[in-house]
Amino acid sequence: QGGLTAKVSGNWSNPATWGGTMPKAGARVCIPTGINVTLDVDPPALTGLVIDGTFRFAARDTRLTAGWIMVHGLWEVGTPATPFQHRVFITLTGTKTNEN
């Protein structure tokens, strides 16, 4: 699968966030700088996830599966004002590399 970049801030489940095309299994997904995406569903297994913007977890139990995840932006699981009261299960399926 090819890459898919979030076009506007919004919920993962909203097709408009992705310019009308939702991420499918095997996709490489990018959240660019200046874009805020809230993960409000359990997405299909991804090849990879690049976070240059903001990636938030909605207040729900969530499962996220990806070959790899690279965070350059903000990875938010609750805040001091609204602590996260749920569970997040993250499964990394990629192979181990010696990349630095």
Side-chain angles (χ1 to χ4, degrees):
Q1 289 273 348
L4 187 60
T5 299
K7 305 298 185 206
V8 297
S9 295
N11 287 333
W12 185 289
S13 64
N14 186 348
T17 302
W18 309 103
T21 303
M22 298 289 294
K24 294 181 174 43
R28 179 183 177 274
V29 174
C30 179
I31 312 298
T33 302
I35 299 292
N36 306 314
V37 174
T38 300
L39 188 62
D40 62 332
V41 295
D42 294 350
L46 306 171
T47 294
L49 175 59
V50 177
I51 302 165
D52 291 321
T54 300
F55 185 73
R56 292 187 175 103
F57 287 83
R60 65 185 295 277
D61 288 352
T62 305
R63 293 185 182 277
L64 174 62
T65 300
W68 49 267
I69 300 171
M70 187 177 301
V71 181
H72 299 288
L74 179 64
W75 174 280
E76 187 178 283
V77 185
T79 66
T82 57
F84 195 75
Q85 302 292 321
H86 301 274
R87 293 180 181 204
V88 173
F89 300 92
I90 299 170
T91 304
L92 297 175
T93 58
T95 57
K96 183 178 178 182
T97 68
N98 291 325
E99 184 176 321
N100 292 324

